[in-house]
Amino acid sequence: GSHLICVYSYQTPYIQQIFPPESIWARVFGLKDIIRQTNCTSQDELILNTSHDWPVYVNPGILLLLYLTMTLLLKLRKRSVHGQKEGARIGQQELELTPLEGNGTTEETK
C-alpha cells in the first residue's frame, strides 16, 4: 500500500518541490507529475500535465482497484478456511456418533 501512498502524495505541490519531476530521484522511483503545480490563488483549478501517455493517468486507479481486489480475496480466503475448520469439527462429531448408534441396534440388543 505504500507505493499507492507515494504515487498520490507526489501530486501535492510540496512533494513536487522536494523532488522535481526532472530530478533523478523522481525518475528512479517512477513518480510522474499528473497534476501540475499552480499558484495558490486559484485553489479550485486542477491543471493536468498532458505530456504523458494514457497509462500514466490510469496507473493510480488500477493500483487502487488491484489493492482492493487483493484485500477482498484475502478476507474471503480467511473466511473459507475458518468455515472449513468448523465443518470438519461437525463432521468429526457425526462420525463419532454414527458407530454408537449402529452398535445399539445390532443383534446384541435383540
Side-chain angles (χ1 to χ4, degrees):
S2 60
H3 180 258
L4 193 60
I5 292 171
C6 289
V7 168
Y8 280 113
S9 65
Y10 187 70
Q11 304 312 313
T12 61
Y14 177 72
I15 304 292
Q16 285 185 12
Q17 287 175 357
I18 295 173
F19 301 109
E22 300 84 23
S23 71
I24 187 73
W25 293 111
R27 291 186 355 213
V28 166
F29 291 114
L31 300 173
K32 300 286 186 177
D33 58 335
I34 297 172
I35 300 172
R36 287 193 180 185
Q37 295 180 12
T38 59
N39 288 338
C40 292
T41 57
S42 58
Q43 295 178 0
D44 58 343
E45 288 185 17
L46 182 67
I47 300 174
L48 296 177
N49 187 357
T50 58
S51 64
H52 301 301
D53 291 331
W54 67 270
V56 173
Y57 301 108
V58 176
N59 183 20
I62 296 291
L63 274 176
L64 182 65
L65 204 93
L66 289 175
Y67 281 130
L68 289 174
T69 304
M70 185 176 66
T71 54
L72 285 174
L73 287 174
L74 288 174
K75 282 185 179 183
L76 288 174
R77 181 177 179 209
K78 185 177 179 182
R79 279 189 194 166
S80 68
V81 169
H82 182 66
Q84 287 175 353
K85 287 181 183 177
E86 290 295 324
R89 289 183 196 153
I90 293 170
Q92 186 178 15
Q93 289 174 354
E94 288 175 0
L95 289 175
E96 290 174 0
L97 293 176
T98 304
L100 293 176
E101 290 174 6
N103 288 339
T105 59
T106 58
E107 293 178 2
E108 296 174 2
T109 52
K110 290 183 182 179

